[in-house]
């Protein structure tokens, strides 16, 4: 069913007038929801008494808002009274008015998905996610993290994407310069392929011709079309358009023919994305986001099938409200590295490491297996980056422990896993050399009566496994000659590219003939490390302060091996 949406540009504190106008238009058109881009409030540093009075009236419930209305950050920070209210209100500033935050994904009750990246690019933060909830700045890491949403109906950004006017014949007003574009916004748009991409500008309205992306491999006839629209501020002197209304049906298929005037994508680098897995039909009207930003919790219906959850419900998608961003140690272009929640090891398990060093290597794209990332280029980049993190961690272990520590990395590749990932844990090198690690896994498999024995092979990206699910592990140990190399004067890039030590890869094929425990890898490792009391991660919960401390200790120690900092 189509939804009627109304979108407004920045109002700079003149929201009473705008809300009254939207109310009048809503009475005649019955809009589904409203979105207000840019600065909803006046700049706190230059606000007048009237501005402060308007804020008080809004927070006091004296202004009527007849339909669900979402607002974002713009170029200014939010007023203190608004921040105080948001701290207590789960994103609902007042009845029917919701804050989308700085970096968020939203699923409405009509099934619309909205992805939001607010504020300007903070050039001083070159890696990672922004930590301040209400300041109007984001990082390239914030933009990259939102690619995990895979797709969206509506994309909201404060900045224009770079190259958006390429191939376009639409002119700007005389004397108006093209706003400075942001490459990470262009990359985000190319990755998500929204139906509508809305942004703001200081003094002009701009609606580009629709543009299309190459079709996905599984739907070669479908045309993914994006419409980019930038709205002028309300009451701008040139009388440029500041309000835009449109209909959108999130269930409609991509068109098979292109509208007149459609151009190719203006972006020099496009990201092919697969159609996301089918998601549960239960969702919320309210915005959801990350990093402690505010969202209204929603009740999840019982799952009616075994399809993996979508990015909004996924613990590993950086745009999800459930992701623990304080655990993240490093973010690359297609993957990220994080400390484990409820780690098997503790900060005292490996004395020379000073942190649990139970780590997860996770693709940004929401996919249950590597093989299910349908775009060949994306899958190859992701697989390569995951190994780069693994090799960097091996070098890190050598630098801290010499030849005393080896490592095990394991993966459960199953169609019903929410979000594929690899788990990494150090283990005594002597246990590897004596074959105890390999034996422990094989014996446990035999004890569980798993019908197919481990085989020594690697399946790469998993594409050639004839649709089989599998459990995979790499068992690694250092060599004596590796110590000098890892502790020498090589750059972080040289160290991470250097594949030190020796390793074996084993694969256990999985099928429907037997029930496989997805905690199999952790269970075996708990026995090897003498930590059987910690085999269930839910029994190893830490306080937020403990999690932050462990993550920071590891992040600081790993910094010189973190190749993502150099890119």
């Amino acid at each position: 069913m189509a939804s009627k949406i109304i979108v407004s540009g920045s109002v700079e504190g003149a929201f009473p007038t705008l809300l009254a106008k939207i109310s009048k238009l809503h009475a005649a058109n019955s809009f589904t929801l409203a979105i207000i881009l840019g600065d909803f409030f006046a700049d706190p540093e230059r606000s007048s008494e009237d501005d402060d009075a308007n804020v008080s009236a809004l927070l006091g419930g004296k202004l009527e808002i007849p339909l669900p209305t979402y607002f974002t950050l713009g170029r200014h920070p939010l007023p203190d009274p608004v921040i105080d209210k948001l701290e207590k209100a789960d994103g609902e500033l007042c009845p029917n008015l919701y804050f989308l935050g700085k970096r968020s994904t939203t699923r409405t009750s009509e099934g619309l998905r909205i992805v939001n990246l607010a504020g300007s690019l903070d050039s001083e933060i070159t890696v990672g996610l922004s930590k301040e909830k209400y300041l109007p700045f984001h990082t390239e890491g914030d933009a990259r993290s939102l690619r995990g949403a895979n797709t969206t109906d509506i994309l909201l950004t404060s900045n224009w994407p770079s190259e958006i006017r390429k191939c376009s014949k639409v002119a700007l007003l005389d004397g108006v310069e093209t706003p400075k574009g942001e490459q990470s916004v262009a990359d985000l748009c190319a990755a998500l392929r929204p139906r509508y991409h809305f942004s703001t500008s200081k003094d002009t309205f701009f609606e580009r011709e629709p543009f299309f992306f190459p079709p996905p491999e599984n739907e070669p006839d479908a045309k993914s079309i994006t419409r980019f629209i930038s709205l002028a501020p309300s009451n701008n002197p040139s009388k440029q358009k500041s309000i835009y209304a449109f209909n959108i049906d999130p269930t409609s298929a991509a068109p098979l023919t292109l509208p007149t005037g459609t151009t190719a994508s203006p972006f020099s680098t496009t990201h092919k994305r697969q159609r996301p897995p089918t998601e549960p039909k239960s969702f919320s009207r309210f915005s959801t986001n990350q990093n402690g930003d505010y969202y209204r919790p929603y009740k999840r219906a019982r799952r009616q099938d075994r399809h993996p959850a979508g990015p909004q419900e996924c613990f590993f998608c950086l745009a999800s409200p459930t992701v623990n961003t304080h655990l993240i140690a490093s973010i690359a272009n297609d993957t990220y590295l994080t400390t484990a929640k409820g780690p098997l090891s503790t900060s005292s398990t490996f004395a020379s490491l000073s942190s649990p060093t139970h780590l997860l290597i996770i693709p940004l794209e929401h996919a249950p297996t590597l093989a299910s990332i349908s775009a060949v280029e994306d899958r190859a980049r992701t697989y390569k980056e995951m190994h780069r993190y693994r090799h960097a961690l091996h070098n890190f272990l050598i630098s801290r422990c010499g030849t005393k520590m080896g490592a095990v990395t394991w993966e459960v590749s199953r169609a019903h896993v929410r979000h594929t990932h690899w788990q990494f844990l150090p283990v005594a090198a002597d246990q590897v050399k004596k074959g105890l690690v390999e034996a422990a896994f094989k014996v446990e498999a035999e004890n569980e009566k798993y019908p197919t024995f481990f085989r020594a092979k690697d399946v790469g990206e998993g594409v050639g496994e004839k649709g089989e699910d599998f459990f995979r592990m790499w068992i690694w140990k250092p060599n004596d000659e590796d110590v000098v190399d890892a502790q020498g004067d090589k750059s972080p890039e040289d160290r991470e590219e250097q594949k030190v030590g020796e390793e074996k890869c084993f694969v256990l094929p999985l099928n429907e003939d037997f029930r496989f425990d997805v905690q199999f890898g952790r269970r075996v490792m708990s026995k090897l490390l003498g930590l059987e009391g910690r085999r269930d991660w839910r029994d190893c919960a830490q306080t937020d302060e403990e999690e932050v401390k462990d993550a920071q200790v590891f992040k600081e120690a790993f910094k010189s091996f973190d190749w993502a900092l150099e890119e």
Side-chain angles (χ1 to χ4, degrees):
M1 181 177 179
S3 298
K4 288 185 177 181
I5 313 295
I6 184 169
V7 185
S8 170
S10 182
V11 293
E12 295 279 358
F15 52 83
T17 302
L18 175 66
L19 293 176
K21 187 173 184 177
I22 289 177
S23 295
K24 185 178 294 186
L25 293 170
H26 176 60
N29 296 278
S30 298
F31 290 109
T32 305
L33 58 89
I35 299 171
I36 302 173
L37 303 172
D39 288 295
F40 187 75
F41 299 98
D43 185 349
E45 295 185 0
R46 292 191 289 272
S47 61
S48 65
E49 292 183 1
D50 288 342
D51 291 326
D52 296 340
N54 288 337
V55 170
S56 296
L58 179 70
L59 299 182
K62 297 179 181 179
L63 299 179
E64 181 181 359
I65 304 175
L67 77 164
T69 301
Y70 300 89
F71 72 98
T72 70
L73 280 170
R75 310 292 177 186
H76 312 314
L78 298 178
D80 288 341
V82 171
I83 294 174
D84 292 341
K85 180 68 177 290
L86 289 173
E87 289 285 342
K88 307 171 184 176
D90 286 341
E92 186 174 4
L93 189 60
C94 58
N96 265 346
L97 183 62
Y98 309 102
F99 179 50
L100 286 175
K102 178 184 298 186
R103 178 186 92 235
S104 64
T105 61
T106 301
R107 173 75 83 175
T108 73
S109 58
E110 296 77 28
L112 283 172
R113 175 176 288 171
I114 302 171
V115 170
N116 170 58
L117 178 67
S120 301
L121 179 66
D122 189 339
S123 59
E124 294 183 1
I125 302 179
T126 58
V127 68
L129 306 179
S130 56
K131 302 299 183 183
E132 297 292 341
K133 302 173 186 176
Y134 307 111
L135 293 182
F137 302 102
H138 65 258
T139 68
E140 291 184 355
D142 291 323
R144 284 199 300 270
S145 72
L146 289 171
R147 297 183 201 172
N150 286 331
T151 186
T152 188
D153 298 302
I154 301 171
L155 174 62
L156 311 176
T157 63
S158 298
N159 288 352
W160 283 27
S162 297
E163 300 183 313
I164 189 62
R165 295 195 65 201
K166 181 181 177 182
C167 305
S168 174
K169 296 180 181 179
V170 178
L172 297 176
L173 287 179
D174 290 341
V176 175
E177 295 183 358
T178 301
K180 183 179 179 181
E182 182 180 328
Q183 185 59 47
S184 57
V185 172
D187 292 341
L188 179 61
C189 183
L192 298 183
R193 304 184 178 196
R195 299 190 183 198
Y196 286 85
H197 180 176
F198 286 96
S199 188
T200 59
S201 52
K202 293 182 179 179
D203 47 18
T204 190
F205 169 80
F206 177 75
E207 182 173 8
R208 192 199 186 280
E209 303 96 328
F211 55 91
F212 70 91
F213 295 96
E217 295 176 3
N218 59 337
E219 293 182 286
D221 296 327
K223 305 294 190 299
S224 181
I225 296 173
T226 295
R227 289 172 168 84
F228 175 77
I229 299 149
S230 183
L231 296 173
S234 180
N235 298 321
N236 63 87
S238 302
K239 305 298 182 183
Q240 289 283 289
K241 190 172 182 177
S242 63
I243 291 181
Y244 189 96
F246 64 103
N247 295 327
I248 185 171
D249 183 355
T251 64
S252 64
L256 298 179
T257 59
L258 298 176
T260 303
T262 301
T263 76
S265 168
F267 306 127
S268 58
T269 302
T270 59
H271 297 256
K272 293 183 180 179
R273 294 295 182 199
Q274 66 178 42
R275 182 177 293 276
T278 303
E279 298 178 36
K281 296 182 178 179
S282 174
F283 35 68
S284 166
R285 171 180 299 282
F286 305 103
S287 70
T288 60
N289 54 17
Q290 82 316 316
N291 195 30
D293 287 355
Y294 294 92
Y295 67 100
R296 189 173 180 85
Y298 58 92
K299 295 181 179 179
R300 291 174 56 188
R302 289 184 179 180
R303 293 180 61 182
Q304 302 298 317
D305 53 42
R306 295 180 63 196
H307 289 297
Q312 192 178 13
E313 296 176 301
C314 177
F315 296 119
F316 295 145
C317 282
L318 295 190
S320 167
T322 56
V323 71
N324 293 280
T325 56
H326 62 281
L327 301 178
I328 296 173
S330 173
I331 300 178
N333 290 316
D334 295 279
T335 58
Y336 71 98
L337 180 69
T338 179
T339 55
K341 192 170 185 67
L344 173 59
S345 48
T346 70
S347 56
S348 60
T349 302
F350 312 114
S352 56
L353 296 177
S354 304
S355 72
T357 322
H358 181 179
L359 305 161
L360 276 61
I361 305 170
I362 307 174
L364 289 179
E365 179 161 340
H366 180 76
T369 66
L370 283 170
S372 67
I373 301 177
S374 60
V376 176
E377 298 90 342
D378 289 353
R379 185 171 62 241
R381 285 199 311 269
T382 299
Y383 183 69
K384 180 180 178 181
E385 280 195 1
M386 294 178 83
H387 276 301
R388 290 182 74 182
Y389 272 129
R390 213 165 57 83
H391 299 324
L393 288 168
H394 293 163
N395 278 284
F396 165 71
L397 288 181
I398 291 174
S399 73
R400 299 295 295 264
C401 311
T403 60
K404 295 180 180 179
M405 299 301 297
V408 178
T409 304
W410 71 92
E411 166 194 19
V412 178
S413 180
R414 298 188 79 176
H416 300 308
V417 170
R418 282 193 174 197
H419 193 133
T420 188
H421 61 280
W422 296 352
Q423 296 198 49
F424 177 95
L425 254 179
V427 67
D430 281 346
Q431 289 183 304
V432 178
K433 294 175 182 178
K434 295 176 182 178
L436 299 179
V437 176
E438 179 181 337
F441 277 93
K442 290 182 177 180
V443 167
E444 190 70 17
E446 291 173 355
N447 290 341
E448 292 294 326
K449 295 182 171 55
Y450 293 159
T452 307
F453 204 70
F454 276 100
R455 60 181 189 260
K457 63 171 289 186
D458 195 356
V459 295
E461 299 164 13
V463 177
E465 285 301 286
K466 300 180 181 180
E468 287 185 353
D469 295 336
F470 57 85
F471 172 86
R472 170 167 55 181
M473 65 175 177
W474 292 271
I475 303 175
W476 172 86
K477 68 178 180 68
N479 293 323
D480 291 339
E481 61 268 23
D482 294 326
V483 179
V484 175
D485 292 336
Q487 294 178 338
D489 297 327
K490 292 177 179 287
S491 68
E493 182 177 356
D494 291 334
R495 287 198 295 266
E496 66 85 12
E497 289 291 351
Q498 185 182 14
K499 299 179 183 179
V500 295
E502 300 176 12
E503 70 179 4
K504 295 180 180 179
C505 183
F506 295 89
V507 173
L508 172 66
L510 309 176
N511 57 54
E512 296 297 330
D513 295 336
F514 66 100
R515 184 174 180 178
F516 178 75
D517 179 10
V518 294
Q519 297 299 324
F520 174 72
R522 180 175 178 127
R523 192 169 75 242
V524 175
M525 293 300 294
S526 71
K527 293 180 179 181
L528 281 168
L529 297 174
L531 298 170
E532 291 187 73
R534 299 177 62 84
R535 60 191 296 177
D536 190 330
W537 70 271
R538 289 165 293 191
D539 296 332
C540 305
Q542 298 175 287
T543 65
D544 286 348
E545 292 76 13
E546 290 171 335
E547 290 179 341
V548 169
K549 179 182 177 181
D550 283 345
Q552 290 299 322
V553 168
F554 170 76
K555 186 175 181 179
E556 182 63 28
F558 182 68
K559 184 163 52 177
S560 62
F561 296 86
D562 188 359
W563 52 270
L565 293 173
E566 305 296 318
E567 300 187 353

